[in-house]
Amino acid sequence: PGEAGALGGSGDLLRSPGGRTDGRRSGSPGLSPMASALTQGLERIPDQLGYLIISEDGVLSSAGELENDEHAAGVIMRMMQTAVKLCMNGSTEPFLKRMSVVFGEHTYMATISGQKVFVVKRHNNPHEAVEV
């Protein structure tokens, strides 16, 4: 119980990244066809400025403004670790699946899926005032 297995599998997903950054992209050798499909999906997100795919071993893939951004990967993983700990409440299944961090110009959206954290940096589109 507790944190171990909180995300299924080994339960090690939300420990700090291991320092591996290879910046592999969707078409790069070494990424499985499934990983290629996942990165293609991230590349099609509207207003995205970059993305990271992080596992317990570190950065698996990255592009755009987040390409090879080991620092951002580490910070986001620590934030996710903390949020999962807060949400556990004695349960073995985390309540946290997605977290957004909103800044003035952009937002980081992190989603836990399987043993990976998918992070997208998006440009914020300010809502225009509606006149009635």
Side-chain angles (χ1 to χ4, degrees):
E3 292 174 52
L7 299 171
S10 69
D12 290 334
L13 173 64
L14 291 178
R15 70 172 191 225
S16 296
R20 189 181 113 207
T21 303
D22 53 20
R24 287 187 260 178
R25 294 176 150 235
S26 58
S28 298
L31 281 180
S32 69
M34 178 185 270
S36 281
L38 293 173
T39 59
Q40 288 173 4
L42 293 173
E43 290 167 355
R44 288 193 298 262
I45 294 174
D47 300 316
Q48 71 97 355
L49 301 171
Y51 67 81
L52 290 164
I53 300 175
I54 312 166
S55 77
E56 60 189 32
D57 296 325
V59 177
L60 298 176
S61 185
S62 61
E65 291 183 12
L66 297 178
E67 186 163 8
N68 297 322
D69 195 339
E70 188 78 24
H71 176 73
V75 169
I76 291 166
M77 286 297 272
R78 286 190 299 276
M79 290 173 64
M80 297 295 279
Q81 288 170 329
T82 302
V84 165
K85 288 177 188 176
L86 289 171
C87 294
M88 291 299 289
N89 278 349
S91 172
T92 56
E93 284 297 313
F95 298 108
L96 177 74
K97 298 286 185 204
R98 187 169 296 123
M99 178 172 60
S100 297
V101 181
V102 182
F103 295 95
E105 296 281 321
H106 61 274
T107 298
Y108 289 95
M109 297 181 302
T111 303
I112 299 170
S113 180
Q115 291 296 305
K116 295 175 186 66
V117 175
F118 296 84
V119 181
V120 175
K121 181 178 180 181
R122 290 183 71 184
H123 177 72
N124 288 337
N125 288 322
H127 298 285
E128 294 184 23
V130 178
E131 293 187 33
V132 201

